[in-house]
Amino acid sequence: LYAFGRHMVLHVEDFLRRYEGLSVTAIENSGLLTGTVHIGVPPSMSLRLLPELFADVHSRAPFVRLRVTEGFSGALSQQLSA
């Protein structure tokens, strides 16, 4: 990059960091639900349950992230107690 481009990159990177911080602050103080929810689902239920669950959570709480672990009841119980 030319000197002008290098100079501009520094300013743009700073702007993007500040924008990200502002976005996080706005979401955190908006009263909206945020965070990550971890759920365990048996394999026999995942195809039936997960598409509707993801759609429902996204429409009601767009800033909530779902983390899914698929497994059998015994394995999921062990993970909870670990």
Side-chain angles (χ1 to χ4, degrees), residues 26-73:
I27 290 168
E28 288 175 347
N29 292 293
S30 68
L32 295 172
L33 295 174
T34 62
T36 302
V37 176
H38 297 265
I39 60 172
V41 180
S44 61
M45 297 294 294
S46 61
L47 288 177
R48 224 175 339 164
L49 176 68
L50 293 179
E52 188 174 334
L53 176 66
F54 272 86
D56 191 40
V57 169
H58 181 70
S59 69
R60 293 175 187 239
F63 298 108
V64 170
R65 298 176 73 191
L66 294 178
R67 299 283 181 177
V68 177
T69 300
E70 189 178 59
F72 295 103
S73 300

Side-chain angles (χ1 to χ4, degrees), residues 13-27:
E13 288 173 343
D14 181 55
F15 171 78
L16 291 174
R17 276 191 300 277
R18 290 175 187 226
Y19 176 79
E20 177 66 25
L22 181 61
S23 295
V24 169
T25 300
I27 290 168

